[in-house]
Amino acid sequence: MTPDAAGSSAVPIRSIDARAYRIPLPSPESDGTLTWDHTTLVVVHASAGGVTGCGYGYSNPAAARLIAQTLAPLLIDADTMATNACWLTMLRAVRNLGVSGLCAQAISAVDIALWDLKARLLDVSLMRLLGAARTSVPGYASGGFTSLSMDALRDTAHAWRDQGYARVKIKVGRHADDDPARVATVREAIGADTALFVDANGGYTVAQALRMAQAFARFDVTWFEEPVSSDDVAGLREVREHTPPGMSVAAGEYGFTGDDFRRLLEPRSVDVLQADATRCGITGWLRAACLCETFHVPLSSHCAPALHTSLACAAIPAIHVEVFEDHAHIEQRYFDGVPALRDGRLYPYGGQPGLGLVFKEEDARCHWVS
């Protein structure tokens, strides 16, 4: 470590490497507004002081190129411990490209790697570095794609029940007339004691969402995610104000900046805010947690469960982590040290430094695209 002018210790970043892996799905999947047949995993390794940190996200191969060509060169020799300074450097670098979307995902993957590296250099888990509020966090099973047949949907719900999840979520919004029957099928499969969530991915109009909320209430649905587009802040608020008692409206997964979260919280457009560190970085996710405390709104982590378990164990307003089927499969297959799932709760991996994750590069090499 090299003392700086203020007498503190700086650990200069020596390298940042980013690679993208296009991982095919067994069959195409769909939600209320999108169909996909693969997931692109972007993995970043950052090194300093003889230690390497690992970050990742789900994006496009272009994110890896943006990191290599634009972000990484600016961070070489920067102080690893100065995560806020590194964050600001990256934000300034993409000013003319636009901070949200692809640029935010690229910045987030690097930010996650730097936080992991920082904790590893200090030889503490990320959860301890951030200040643990709990040692485990509830997970909720997520999938139930609109592309599934009723029989496949029922089988999926049975599997979730057997794994001990106390909360499960399915996709709705593609064919509204079919959605009550799909929800009824899952309710029957999981029984009365398991919480049932639905996610429309912005697939309904406000009028449809209000009608569907009444229909879903018959099956004790307690979570209505993105009933309308999260860009329609006024529409979200209207749905929230007229949903049946006990049904929470959630949104926020497309929040890339603090302002995106504030726009949902200030007008009271959501009952629960969602945040995804693969889109807003750990730095941005922590700011979302602070905003939730300020507005007295719970926080739920969106997707990437191996990443979010440590964060949700540290954040006071966090209530649960989404165990999204695609991401959980990828993380289990291509990373060592993923959080353990016991009785529907996620536990960070055994007190290892950082996130505790090790990317199995050899296993993923066949999917490398950039």
Side-chain angles (χ1 to χ4, degrees):
M1 299 185 181
T2 303
D4 63 16
S8 63
S9 296
V11 187
I13 297 170
R14 293 308 185 198
S15 68
I16 295 177
D17 174 75
R19 298 189 180 189
Y21 302 85
R22 189 180 189 273
I23 302 172
L25 298 171
S27 61
E29 297 171 348
S30 63
D31 58 26
T33 54
L34 186 67
T35 299
W36 61 97
D37 62 7
H38 69 278
T39 299
T40 299
L41 174 70
V42 176
V43 180
V44 176
H45 286 99
S47 298
V51 175
T52 299
C54 180
Y56 71 98
Y58 299 98
S59 184
N60 182 280
R65 294 193 290 272
L66 180 64
I67 292 167
Q69 297 170 11
T70 302
L71 303 180
L74 297 175
L75 296 178
I76 302 303
D77 292 330
D79 181 10
T80 303
M81 298 296 175
T83 47
N84 280 333
C86 292
W87 176 261
L88 290 173
T89 295
M90 291 189 286
L91 289 181
R92 290 165 180 156
V94 301
R95 187 196 68 182
N96 290 342
L97 300 178
V99 172
S100 296
L102 185 72
C103 289
Q105 291 171 335
I107 289 170
S108 295
V110 177
D111 183 66
I112 293 163
L114 294 179
W115 273 100
D116 184 56
L117 175 57
K118 181 177 182 178
R120 288 173 187 264
L121 284 164
L122 295 171
D123 196 28
V124 297
S125 68
L126 183 63
M127 182 179 72
R128 285 192 62 198
L129 177 63
L130 297 177
R134 56 193 67 87
T135 57
S136 67
V137 63
Y140 71 84
S142 172
F145 305 108
T146 59
S147 49
L148 294 179
S149 68
M150 284 294 193
D151 286 342
L153 183 63
R154 185 180 296 107
D155 290 344
T156 296
H158 281 149
W160 288 339
R161 181 198 60 195
D162 293 344
Q163 291 172 50
Y165 284 103
R167 304 163 186 82
V168 304
K169 185 176 80 178
I170 67 167
K171 300 291 189 180
V172 295
R174 181 163 291 268
H175 302 293
D177 291 343
D178 297 336
D179 287 337
R182 297 180 74 253
V183 171
T185 295
V186 175
R187 171 51 74 198
E188 181 181 8
I190 62 176
D193 295 333
T194 302
L196 178 53
F197 299 175
V198 297
D199 179 4
N201 288 100
Y204 296 136
T205 64
V206 170
Q208 283 179 315
L210 291 173
R211 178 167 59 87
M212 299 312 296
Q214 296 298 325
F216 296 153
R218 299 200 302 271
F219 306 104
D220 195 23
V221 168
T222 56
W223 169 285
F224 199 173
E225 183 175 331
E226 282 196 311
V228 299
S229 169
S230 56
D231 291 329
D232 184 3
V233 177
L236 278 173
R237 180 176 178 178
E238 184 173 353
V239 174
R240 176 184 174 267
E241 289 177 341
H242 295 92
T243 50
M247 185 181 294
S248 296
V249 170
E253 67 186 70
Y254 296 109
F256 297 104
T257 69
D259 285 333
D260 293 335
F261 299 123
R262 178 181 55 80
R263 290 187 191 102
L264 292 172
L265 291 168
E266 277 188 341
R268 303 289 178 176
S269 293
V270 293
D271 295 295
V272 181
L273 183 74
Q274 295 174 284
D276 186 337
T278 72
R279 294 171 178 167
C280 63
I282 290 176
T283 299
W285 194 96
L286 295 172
R287 292 175 180 175
C290 289
L291 284 169
C292 283
E293 287 196 71
T294 300
F295 284 95
H296 303 284
V297 170
L299 173 65
S300 177
S301 285
H302 173 262
C303 292
L307 164 64
H308 286 117
T309 297
S310 294
L311 303 183
C313 282
I316 291 172
I319 55 172
H320 42 52
V321 170
E322 179 178 12
V323 185
F324 180 56
E325 183 175 303
D326 292 356
H327 293 179
H329 172 74
I330 288 171
E331 292 164 3
Q332 287 281 350
R333 185 169 181 179
Y334 298 111
F335 289 89
D336 284 327
V338 298
L341 177 69
R342 297 195 297 271
D343 298 323
R345 297 186 70 87
L346 292 161
Y347 294 78
Y349 183 64
Q352 298 297 309
L355 287 163
L357 299 173
V358 178
F359 181 57
K360 297 190 283 189
E361 188 171 357
E362 289 301 318
D363 292 351
R365 187 180 298 276
C366 60
H367 304 304
W368 181 30
V369 293
S370 177

